[in-house]
Amino acid sequence: SQKIEQNSEALNIQEGKTATLTCNYTNYSPAYLQWYRQDPGRGPVFLLLIRENEKEKRKERLKVTFDTTLKQSLFHITASQPADSATYLCAREGDGGFKTIFGAGTRLFVKA
Amino acid sequence: EAGVTQFPSHSVIEKGQTVTLRCDPISGHDNLYWYRRVMGKEIKFLLHFVKESKQDESGMPNNRFLAERTGGTYSTLKVQPAELEDSGVYFCASSQVTGEKLFFGSGTQLSVL
């Protein structure tokens, strides 16, 4: 089956360091991947979308890569801040491209 | 610009009762989606509208769930009769481009007792 997997363990890092989150996919080749942020009690917020023909995309302190050989997307937050603490979700397009399928998310904690 | 709004934010009902959730998408967004997160699980797709038409309802759990989008504007999701396993957070989202850059509401926390 087509799967999208994120590290279920929480990631704890020190303020100022770079956080790197991983999203792996199996048994298919997505046309694009998306990354969202979710805070407790809120809906997910869109951050970045990267297409299969793009190696890297940046937005302020955020960077996403897409490696079709490794079947993996990496999400980086540079100069991390406590305010970056949240759950980060990776998402792929569903069958036929009409729906968005979310991974379970990785919880990030940034310590001051 | 107003975001996606959902009502109510919380609903507590007894098993067997009916509940209707409402979603107002961002104006101009033809695509509207319903998702659900059950405790400890990932966000699961329920269905997708394009304007007033159901494009994909493959994620709807069973026929106790009915979604409508009259006139292609706001949408409602009715659960009748509610069961204990229907408890969770129901999210609505909308987008301009199908499947890309979804804008989510804050969700409706549904508790079925």
Short mmCIF file of all heavy atoms in Angstrom, two decimals, chain B residues 14-16 24-25 34 36 39 44-45 49 52 56 59 63-64 66-67 72 74 77 83 85-87 91 94 103 110:
data_model
loop_
_atom_site.label_atom_id
_atom_site.label_comp_id
_atom_site.label_asym_id
_atom_site.label_seq_id
_atom_site.Cartn_x
_atom_site.Cartn_y
_atom_site.Cartn_z
N GLU B 14 -25.10 12.62 23.51
CA GLU B 14 -25.23 11.23 23.95
C GLU B 14 -25.34 10.31 22.73
O GLU B 14 -25.82 10.71 21.66
CB GLU B 14 -26.44 11.07 24.86
CG GLU B 14 -26.29 11.80 26.18
CD GLU B 14 -27.42 11.49 27.15
OE1 GLU B 14 -28.39 10.83 26.75
OE2 GLU B 14 -27.31 11.92 28.31
N LYS B 15 -24.91 9.11 22.93
CA LYS B 15 -25.02 8.09 21.88
C LYS B 15 -26.47 8.03 21.38
O LYS B 15 -27.41 8.06 22.17
CB LYS B 15 -24.62 6.74 22.47
CG LYS B 15 -24.77 5.58 21.54
CD LYS B 15 -24.39 4.27 22.23
CE LYS B 15 -24.76 3.09 21.35
NZ LYS B 15 -24.42 1.81 21.99
N GLY B 16 -26.60 7.99 20.08
CA GLY B 16 -27.93 7.90 19.48
C GLY B 16 -28.50 9.25 19.04
O GLY B 16 -29.45 9.29 18.27
N ASP B 24 -17.58 27.07 7.16
CA ASP B 24 -17.61 28.15 6.18
C ASP B 24 -16.20 28.29 5.61
O ASP B 24 -15.29 28.71 6.34
CB ASP B 24 -18.07 29.46 6.83
CG ASP B 24 -19.55 29.46 7.11
OD1 ASP B 24 -19.98 28.85 8.11
OD2 ASP B 24 -20.29 30.05 6.29
N PRO B 25 -16.02 27.97 4.34
CA PRO B 25 -14.67 28.03 3.76
C PRO B 25 -14.28 29.46 3.44
O PRO B 25 -15.09 30.39 3.58
CB PRO B 25 -14.84 27.22 2.47
CG PRO B 25 -16.25 27.50 2.06
CD PRO B 25 -17.03 27.57 3.36
N TRP B 34 -13.40 17.66 4.40
CA TRP B 34 -13.62 17.31 5.80
C TRP B 34 -12.60 16.24 6.19
O TRP B 34 -12.36 15.28 5.44
CB TRP B 34 -15.02 16.76 6.02
CG TRP B 34 -16.10 17.81 6.05
CD1 TRP B 34 -16.91 18.19 5.03
CD2 TRP B 34 -16.49 18.61 7.18
NE1 TRP B 34 -17.78 19.17 5.44
CE2 TRP B 34 -17.55 19.45 6.75
CE3 TRP B 34 -16.05 18.70 8.51
CZ2 TRP B 34 -18.17 20.37 7.60
CZ3 TRP B 34 -16.67 19.61 9.34
CH2 TRP B 34 -17.73 20.43 8.89
N ARG B 36 -10.93 14.10 9.92
CA ARG B 36 -11.21 13.76 11.31
C ARG B 36 -9.94 13.23 11.96
O ARG B 36 -9.17 12.47 11.34
CB ARG B 36 -12.31 12.70 11.39
CG ARG B 36 -12.61 12.23 12.81
CD ARG B 36 -13.79 11.30 12.85
NE ARG B 36 -13.50 9.97 12.33
CZ ARG B 36 -14.35 8.96 12.41
NH1 ARG B 36 -15.52 9.13 12.98
NH2 ARG B 36 -14.04 7.77 11.91
N MET B 39 -8.55 10.28 18.70
CA MET B 39 -7.50 10.34 19.73
C MET B 39 -6.28 9.47 19.39
O MET B 39 -6.39 8.26 19.21
CB MET B 39 -8.10 9.86 21.06
CG MET B 39 -7.14 9.92 22.22
SD MET B 39 -6.84 11.61 22.79
CE MET B 39 -8.34 11.92 23.69
N LYS B 44 -7.41 11.97 9.32
CA LYS B 44 -7.91 11.10 8.25
C LYS B 44 -8.88 11.86 7.35
O LYS B 44 -9.77 12.55 7.82
CB LYS B 44 -8.65 9.90 8.85
CG LYS B 44 -7.76 8.90 9.55
CD LYS B 44 -7.08 7.98 8.56
CE LYS B 44 -6.51 6.77 9.26
NZ LYS B 44 -5.77 5.90 8.35
N PHE B 45 -8.71 11.68 6.07
CA PHE B 45 -9.59 12.28 5.07
C PHE B 45 -10.98 11.66 5.14
O PHE B 45 -11.12 10.44 5.28
CB PHE B 45 -8.98 12.05 3.69
CG PHE B 45 -9.88 12.39 2.53
CD1 PHE B 45 -9.97 13.69 2.07
CD2 PHE B 45 -10.63 11.40 1.91
CE1 PHE B 45 -10.79 14.00 1.00
CE2 PHE B 45 -11.46 11.70 0.83
CZ PHE B 45 -11.53 13.00 0.39
N PHE B 49 -15.33 18.19 -1.58
CA PHE B 49 -16.28 18.82 -2.48
C PHE B 49 -15.54 19.72 -3.46
O PHE B 49 -14.57 20.37 -3.10
CB PHE B 49 -17.24 19.75 -1.70
CG PHE B 49 -18.32 19.07 -0.93
CD1 PHE B 49 -18.18 18.86 0.43
CD2 PHE B 49 -19.50 18.70 -1.54
CE1 PHE B 49 -19.18 18.26 1.17
CE2 PHE B 49 -20.51 18.10 -0.81
CZ PHE B 49 -20.35 17.88 0.56
N GLU B 52 -20.43 22.45 -5.28
CA GLU B 52 -21.47 21.72 -4.54
C GLU B 52 -21.40 20.21 -4.78
O GLU B 52 -22.19 19.45 -4.19
CB GLU B 52 -22.85 22.24 -4.93
CG GLU B 52 -23.28 21.94 -6.36
CD GLU B 52 -22.75 22.96 -7.36
OE1 GLU B 52 -21.94 23.81 -6.96
OE2 GLU B 52 -23.14 22.88 -8.52
N ASP B 56 -15.03 13.19 -3.90
CA ASP B 56 -14.48 11.96 -3.33
C ASP B 56 -15.02 11.83 -1.91
O ASP B 56 -14.78 12.70 -1.10
CB ASP B 56 -12.94 12.05 -3.32
CG ASP B 56 -12.26 10.80 -2.80
OD1 ASP B 56 -12.92 9.95 -2.17
OD2 ASP B 56 -11.04 10.67 -3.03
N GLY B 59 -13.55 8.41 2.24
CA GLY B 59 -13.16 8.33 3.63
C GLY B 59 -14.32 8.34 4.62
O GLY B 59 -14.10 8.18 5.83
N ASN B 63 -22.79 5.05 6.55
CA ASN B 63 -23.93 5.86 6.12
C ASN B 63 -24.58 6.65 7.24
O ASN B 63 -25.60 7.31 7.04
CB ASN B 63 -24.97 5.00 5.41
CG ASN B 63 -25.49 3.89 6.30
OD1 ASN B 63 -25.22 3.86 7.50
ND2 ASN B 63 -26.21 2.95 5.72
N ARG B 64 -23.97 6.64 8.41
CA ARG B 64 -24.47 7.53 9.47
C ARG B 64 -23.95 8.96 9.28
O ARG B 64 -24.40 9.88 9.93
CB ARG B 64 -24.03 7.00 10.84
CG ARG B 64 -24.69 5.67 11.20
CD ARG B 64 -24.34 5.26 12.63
NE ARG B 64 -22.91 4.97 12.80
CZ ARG B 64 -22.05 5.79 13.38
NH1 ARG B 64 -22.46 6.95 13.85
NH2 ARG B 64 -20.79 5.44 13.51
N LEU B 66 -23.42 12.20 6.82
CA LEU B 66 -23.94 12.82 5.61
C LEU B 66 -23.38 14.23 5.50
O LEU B 66 -23.54 15.04 6.40
CB LEU B 66 -25.47 12.87 5.65
CG LEU B 66 -26.11 13.62 4.48
CD1 LEU B 66 -25.82 12.90 3.16
CD2 LEU B 66 -27.61 13.75 4.69
N ALA B 67 -22.72 14.51 4.39
CA ALA B 67 -22.16 15.84 4.16
C ALA B 67 -22.87 16.49 3.00
O ALA B 67 -23.22 15.83 2.02
CB ALA B 67 -20.67 15.76 3.87
N GLY B 72 -22.68 25.41 -3.07
CA GLY B 72 -21.24 25.52 -3.19
C GLY B 72 -20.59 26.50 -2.23
O GLY B 72 -19.45 26.92 -2.45
N TYR B 74 -21.13 27.19 2.14
CA TYR B 74 -20.80 26.50 3.38
C TYR B 74 -21.16 25.02 3.27
O TYR B 74 -21.89 24.60 2.37
CB TYR B 74 -21.53 27.15 4.56
CG TYR B 74 -23.01 26.91 4.58
CD1 TYR B 74 -23.55 25.82 5.27
CD2 TYR B 74 -23.88 27.76 3.92
CE1 TYR B 74 -24.92 25.60 5.29
CE2 TYR B 74 -25.24 27.54 3.92
CZ TYR B 74 -25.76 26.47 4.60
OH TYR B 74 -27.11 26.25 4.60
N LEU B 77 -21.82 18.72 8.05
CA LEU B 77 -21.54 17.30 8.22
C LEU B 77 -22.44 16.82 9.36
O LEU B 77 -22.31 17.28 10.48
CB LEU B 77 -20.08 17.06 8.56
CG LEU B 77 -19.65 15.62 8.81
CD1 LEU B 77 -19.83 14.77 7.55
CD2 LEU B 77 -18.20 15.55 9.28
N GLU B 83 -22.41 7.47 17.42
CA GLU B 83 -21.90 6.36 18.20
C GLU B 83 -20.65 6.81 18.96
O GLU B 83 -20.06 7.83 18.62
CB GLU B 83 -21.56 5.18 17.29
CG GLU B 83 -22.75 4.61 16.53
CD GLU B 83 -23.72 3.86 17.42
OE1 GLU B 83 -23.34 3.52 18.56
OE2 GLU B 83 -24.86 3.62 16.97
N GLU B 85 -17.67 5.74 18.95
CA GLU B 85 -16.43 5.80 18.17
C GLU B 85 -16.38 7.00 17.23
O GLU B 85 -15.36 7.22 16.55
CB GLU B 85 -16.24 4.52 17.35
CG GLU B 85 -17.33 4.28 16.30
CD GLU B 85 -18.43 3.36 16.78
OE1 GLU B 85 -18.64 3.29 18.01
OE2 GLU B 85 -19.07 2.73 15.92
N ASP B 86 -17.44 7.79 17.20
CA ASP B 86 -17.44 8.99 16.36
C ASP B 86 -16.74 10.16 17.05
O ASP B 86 -16.52 11.20 16.43
CB ASP B 86 -18.87 9.41 16.01
CG ASP B 86 -19.63 8.34 15.24
OD1 ASP B 86 -18.96 7.52 14.55
OD2 ASP B 86 -20.86 8.29 15.34
N SER B 87 -16.42 10.00 18.30
CA SER B 87 -15.74 11.06 19.05
C SER B 87 -14.39 11.38 18.40
O SER B 87 -13.67 10.48 17.96
CB SER B 87 -15.52 10.64 20.50
OG SER B 87 -16.75 10.45 21.17
N PHE B 91 -12.15 18.40 11.34
CA PHE B 91 -11.57 19.58 10.72
C PHE B 91 -12.18 19.78 9.34
O PHE B 91 -12.42 18.83 8.59
CB PHE B 91 -10.06 19.43 10.54
CG PHE B 91 -9.28 19.47 11.82
CD1 PHE B 91 -8.75 18.30 12.37
CD2 PHE B 91 -9.04 20.67 12.47
CE1 PHE B 91 -8.02 18.33 13.54
CE2 PHE B 91 -8.30 20.71 13.65
CZ PHE B 91 -7.80 19.54 14.18
N SER B 94 -10.26 24.30 3.17
CA SER B 94 -10.60 24.71 1.81
C SER B 94 -9.34 25.10 1.07
O SER B 94 -8.29 25.37 1.69
CB SER B 94 -11.61 25.88 1.82
OG SER B 94 -11.02 27.08 2.30
N PHE B 103 -6.25 25.34 3.68
CA PHE B 103 -6.45 26.22 4.83
C PHE B 103 -7.46 25.53 5.74
O PHE B 103 -8.56 25.20 5.31
CB PHE B 103 -7.00 27.58 4.40
CG PHE B 103 -6.01 28.43 3.66
CD1 PHE B 103 -5.79 28.25 2.30
CD2 PHE B 103 -5.27 29.41 4.32
CE1 PHE B 103 -4.87 29.02 1.60
CE2 PHE B 103 -4.36 30.19 3.64
CZ PHE B 103 -4.15 29.99 2.28
N LEU B 110 -15.82 16.78 19.00
CA LEU B 110 -17.08 16.05 19.23
C LEU B 110 -16.84 14.95 20.25
O LEU B 110 -15.95 14.13 20.09
CB LEU B 110 -17.58 15.43 17.93
CG LEU B 110 -18.83 14.55 18.05
CD1 LEU B 110 -20.02 15.38 18.52
CD2 LEU B 110 -19.14 13.86 16.72
#
